[in-house]
Amino acid sequence: LQEAMVAVAAGAQGCGLLRTEFLFLNRQTPPSEVEQTEVYRAIAEALRGRPLIIRTLDIGGDKPAAYLPFPAEENPALGLRGVRVSLWRTDILATQLRAILRGVPSKQCRIMVPMIASLSELRQVRTILDGVRAELGRTDPIALGVMVETPAAAMTADILAAEADFLSIGTNDLTQYCLAMDRGNASVAAEFDALHPAVLRLIAATTEGAARHSRPTGVCGGLASDPIATPILIGLGVRSLSSTANRIADLKALVADMTLDHCQCLARRALAASS
């Protein structure tokens, strides 16, 4: 809530990523529907009508929860994470979706699903969302989008965009899976680069796929706060950046001083670069 107020004061035009796992970690039981509803409502009110993109629970891997007995995994980063956890425990997902719908006005509400790798996962979440809407008697449309964090999602963005209402690129995990580098491993940290041409080409594939269905694409990973990356991302077709609050004013000033032609030229050069 405090961060939402700081972001609005800094000139944010909305919240591009509300990380809901902060409600679920460091406790012995999952948060109740009432508790979640109150938190989501307070943040929505702090945004004063601006769009609020709420990411469904993203735990697993490096974010375990004591009350969820995850099976032993040799490589948790490739195991039960993000949407896979939600589809494993659909009861927790349904409770969260009810809380979101009860706490956030429809015109403000956007729901985003993490770690999508296939259309079937999005369809399963939409089925649960439709069931919750029916249960609550809600007939108003609710935007449901996906996070593009896997190369699979980037390369099939056109397929996902046919049914997703928006796409948002999580550059931290996308870089990790594209380069096969653990972003928490100090041994490879120096080579972990979200501006690697391979990552940029995945971003380009995402925006091109989304554009085929007139779906907007944003970036909500760490790259969105990097002023060096800003013109390249815009040139690649990204139209919203979810940055940290302390970078908002600087990034808005930077964007206001650019031309689209210049950004597109820079993006073409970046895609053709060898490093």
Side-chain angles (χ1 to χ4, degrees), residues 94-206:
T95 297
Q96 181 172 35
L97 293 175
R98 278 195 300 270
I100 292 171
L101 295 187
R102 284 183 163 144
V104 184
S106 300
K107 291 183 178 179
Q108 219 180 336
C109 185
R110 317 278 191 276
I111 298 173
M112 182 163 66
V113 187
M115 287 298 295
I116 287 288
S118 68
L119 182 60
S120 65
E121 293 167 332
L122 174 62
R123 286 175 171 172
Q124 290 177 73
V125 173
R126 191 177 288 281
T127 296
I128 296 170
L129 175 60
D130 288 345
V132 169
R133 289 174 62 224
E135 178 186 335
L136 298 178
R138 295 283 290 272
T139 58
D140 43 334
I142 301 295
L144 180 65
V146 300
M147 282 194 75
V148 175
E149 301 169 276
T150 66
M155 298 309 297
T156 59
D158 58 324
I159 296 173
L160 294 172
E163 299 187 23
D165 295 305
F166 62 93
L167 287 76
S168 190
I169 302 169
T171 54
N172 301 342
D173 271 322
L174 184 62
T175 303
Q176 171 172 256
Y177 293 125
C178 174
L179 301 183
M181 291 181 179
D182 180 355
R183 59 191 173 117
N185 187 330
S187 299
V188 296
E191 301 299 323
F192 189 89
D193 182 11
L195 286 172
H196 188 292
V199 179
L200 295 183
R201 291 185 185 196
L202 288 176
I203 293 173
T206 301

Side-chain angles (χ1 to χ4, degrees), residues 51-82:
L52 171 57
I53 299 178
I54 302 180
R55 182 173 69 185
T56 57
L57 181 60
D58 185 13
I59 58 174
D62 59 346
K63 293 177 285 189
Y67 50 85
L68 285 178
F70 286 100
E73 296 180 296
E74 188 170 334
N75 193 337
L78 302 179
L80 279 175
R81 285 197 59 194

